[in-house]
């Protein structure tokens, strides 16, 4: 069972957290975008920031997740059993480099054995996220049925470890029909990074 919690508030946008050198400054363009401009969902892996889904004293698990999600520029926060819709999709947040205007940013939060988190002693099991990732894509495709492309940070930036093979396996399995085409399509650009690795496509079959 996956709970999908809608924490979106019209007219709000992400800002840098208090301890950041740009604290309080916005992390999104001022102008809203038309939903018709969105043609892709962009997957990110949040790490190696220390993560705990355990609530602080006086918080529920949901309150903790919303608090974390609202400190970031991603539209959707994903953790085992819970999905938080953090920002209105009309808000053009700064999460995906040159693809910001085209994508809904989805962050899968956890410490996985990728290049970005191997130094952490604890690793989450990507398999625990499978149901939540599937539920996320199903929900988003229902609200934005015109979107048919699924990308990761590796495609629109030079970040080959994001989201890493463990998460990529689940994404490939859940959104196979949304993966970028293997051969170039005139007029379809998927960013300046690496193409969707063939190895990641194969992972979805196992």
């Amino acid at each position: 069972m996956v709970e999908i919690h809608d924490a979106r508030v019209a007219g709000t946008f992400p800002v840098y957290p208090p301890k950041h050198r740009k604290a309080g400054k916005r992390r999104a363009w001022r102008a809203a975008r038309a939903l018709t401009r969105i043609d892709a969902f962009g997957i990110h892996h949040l790490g190696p920031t220390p993560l705990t889904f355990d609530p602080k004293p006086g918080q529920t698990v949901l309150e903790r997740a919303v608090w974390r999600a609202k400190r970031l520029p991603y539209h959707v926060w994903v953790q085992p059993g819970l999905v938080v819709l953090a920002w209105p999709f009309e808000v053009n947040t700064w999460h995906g480099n040159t693809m910001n205007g085209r994508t809904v940013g989805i962050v899968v939060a956890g410490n996985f054995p990728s290049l970005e988190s191997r130094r952490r002693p604890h690793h989450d099991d990507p398999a625990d996220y499978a149901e939540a990732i599937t539920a996320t894509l199903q929900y988003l495709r229902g609200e934005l049925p015109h979107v048919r492309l699924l990308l990761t940070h590796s495609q629109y930036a030079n970040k080959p470890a994001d989201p890493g093979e463990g998460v990529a396996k689940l994404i490939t399995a859940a959104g196979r029909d949304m993966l970028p085409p293997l051969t170039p399509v005139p007029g379809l650009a998927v960013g300046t990074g690496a193409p969707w690795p063939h190895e990641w496509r194969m992972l979805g079959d196992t």
Side-chain angles (χ1 to χ4, degrees):
M1 178 66 69
V2 177
E3 178 182 359
I4 298 180
H5 178 76
D6 194 342
R8 293 173 291 182
V9 177
T12 61
F13 50 85
V15 298
Y16 288 96
K19 293 184 179 180
H20 195 279
R21 63 183 178 83
K22 296 182 179 180
K25 293 184 178 181
R26 60 190 303 143
R27 302 179 77 175
W29 297 107
R30 292 186 180 277
R33 63 181 176 181
L35 295 182
T36 52
R37 286 192 58 199
I38 302 170
D39 68 356
F41 302 134
I43 304 288
H44 301 257
H45 159 214
L46 180 63
T49 305
L51 291 170
T52 175
F53 303 126
D54 298 329
K56 298 293 185 180
Q59 281 185 322
T60 64
V61 172
L62 174 59
E63 288 171 340
R64 178 67 174 174
V66 171
W67 181 83
R68 292 301 305 268
K70 288 290 191 177
R71 293 167 65 88
L72 298 165
Y74 310 106
H75 296 91
V76 184
W77 167 281
V78 180
Q79 70 183 62
L82 180 60
V83 176
V84 175
L85 307 175
W87 303 109
F89 298 153
E90 292 88 353
V91 178
N92 188 355
T93 68
W94 299 340
H95 71 91
N97 304 84
T98 59
M99 302 292 281
N100 286 328
R102 295 175 49 186
T103 54
V104 167
I106 304 168
V107 64
V108 180
N111 287 329
F112 307 114
S114 72
L115 293 177
E116 294 172 309
S117 59
R118 281 179 183 158
R119 59 182 176 271
R120 295 281 170 187
H122 166 74
H123 288 146
D124 294 303
D125 184 352
D128 293 339
Y129 292 72
E131 189 177 8
I133 288 174
T134 298
T136 299
L137 293 181
Q138 289 176 342
Y139 180 90
L140 293 179
R141 294 182 75 169
E143 188 165 329
L144 299 170
H146 65 283
V147 177
R148 287 289 180 267
L149 186 61
L150 181 61
L151 303 175
T152 77
H153 209 173
S154 297
Q155 276 77 67
Y156 46 79
N158 186 24
K159 292 194 174 183
D162 191 358
E165 290 187 357
V167 176
K169 175 178 179 178
L170 303 178
I171 298 166
T172 303
R176 174 170 295 281
D177 62 324
M178 301 182 72
L179 300 184
L182 287 170
T183 55
V185 175
L188 177 63
V190 295
T192 59
W196 193 285
H198 179 70
E199 293 78 9
W200 288 7
R201 293 175 185 267
M202 300 301 291
L203 285 169
D205 295 329
T206 58

